[in-house]
Amino acid sequence: SAVISQKPSRDICQRGTSLTIQCQVDSQVTMMFWYRQQPGQSLTLIATANQGSEATYESGFVIDKFPISRPNLTFSTLTVSNMSPEDSSIYLCSVGEPGRTNYGYTFGSGTRLTVV
Amino acid sequence: GQNIDQPTEMTATEGAIVQINCTYQTSGFNGLFWYQQHAGEAPTFLSYNVLDGLEEKGRFSSFLSRSKGYSYLLLKELQMKDSASYLCAPGAAGNKLTFGGGTRVLVKP
């Protein structure tokens, strides 16, 4: 399965600032997704990162708040903009291949964000 | 939309068997995934069912009934290291995974 490097692993940020999280994969992958996991909660899908086009956002998430880039098949970034304490969470990227779903989707190690 | 229901927490004894049930309603269903997540770590893939029936993988088995919108994960010969959250995730249109709230399993000696 693909190996994912996600950076930073954690950060403490001031409210009103922005943080960009990077997800680098060791091979080309068709599907890349970004999730949020709030303390004690399960994973919530933020968006599907589409290569060469705008990301597809889930209900409750908007591009102005969570801009996503995916310039190629091995890399994506998620920016958390104009942060508030409510954005404190773990953010994870996930990758997969449509023809290899029996191998599951792989997750990055996550970025633990604290907004103060 | 998605509607996924699984128990919040289960407790079992080392060496025992635990069955985690999951019911779901999803559009564009294309298989059911189970993930394990230890505290502070990323989820790791356990199983995938696309057809009805039981899939066995060592101590872990997963069952799917598409007509009933029902799956379960069966953990046998429980070990202390199996204490974790178990996440049910139906695949949907666009190959997206939406996760249930997770079941926290506590294995006691």
Side-chain angles (χ1 to χ4, degrees):
Chain A
S1 58
V3 176
I4 303 172
S5 172
Q6 185 173 339
K7 296 178 183 177
S9 58
R10 58 179 64 231
D11 208 342
I12 301 173
C13 300
Q14 296 290 323
R15 68 174 68 201
T17 63
S18 298
L19 175 72
T20 295
I21 302 167
Q22 298 182 358
C23 180
Q24 177 72 56
V25 191
D26 70 341
S27 59
Q28 292 186 340
V29 290
T30 304
M31 303 180 294
M32 292 183 81
F33 306 94
W34 286 97
Y35 287 85
R36 179 174 73 184
Q37 187 169 30
Q38 294 179 307
Q41 305 286 315
S42 188
L43 288 83
T44 301
L45 181 62
I46 298 172
T48 302
N50 300 308
Q51 191 263 329
S53 64
E54 194 171 287
T56 306
Y57 290 84
E58 297 300 304
S59 176
F61 297 96
V62 295
I63 188 171
D64 289 347
K65 176 67 176 177
F66 297 102
I68 288 171
S69 79
R70 190 175 176 194
N72 55 53
L73 293 178
T74 64
F75 185 77
S76 178
T77 66
L78 168 75
T79 299
V80 186
S81 303
N82 188 24
M83 289 183 283
S84 66
E86 292 71 35
D87 295 320
S88 296
S89 190
I90 297 173
Y91 293 86
L92 303 106
C93 67
S94 175
V95 304
E97 288 295 331
R100 294 172 61 84
T101 46
N102 52 316
Y103 291 92
Y105 294 14
T106 303
F107 283 82
S109 53
T111 297
R112 184 179 295 270
L113 170 63
T114 303
V115 184
V116 298
Chain B
Q2 306 266 0
N3 200 1
I4 306 161
D5 191 33
Q6 56 181 123
T8 305
E9 195 168 292
M10 302 180 76
T11 302
T13 306
E14 201 173 9
I17 298 173
V18 69
Q19 177 173 317
I20 305 170
N21 296 321
C22 172
T23 58
Y24 63 89
Q25 292 176 312
T26 188
S27 53
F29 177 78
N30 63 6
L32 194 291
F33 296 77
W34 284 95
Y35 278 79
Q36 179 191 61
Q37 187 176 29
H38 285 99
E41 298 182 11
T44 55
F45 169 70
L46 288 179
S47 69
Y48 171 68
N49 293 64
V50 66
L51 300 175
D52 289 354
L54 187 68
E55 293 275 347
E56 298 190 74
K57 255 191 195 180
R59 293 190 299 115
F60 293 2
S61 304
S62 55
F63 172 84
L64 176 67
S65 169
R66 290 171 295 172
S67 62
K68 294 181 180 177
Y70 168 70
S71 174
Y72 68 73
L73 180 69
L74 193 69
L75 314 180
K76 293 177 277 190
E77 300 169 21
L78 278 172
Q79 301 176 7
M80 298 299 291
K81 66 178 181 179
D82 297 330
S83 291
S85 289
Y86 292 85
L87 309 172
C88 171
N95 293 300
K96 300 185 295 187
L97 289 191
T98 301
F99 287 83
T103 299
R104 189 174 304 169
V105 172
L106 177 61
V107 180
K108 294 186 172 178

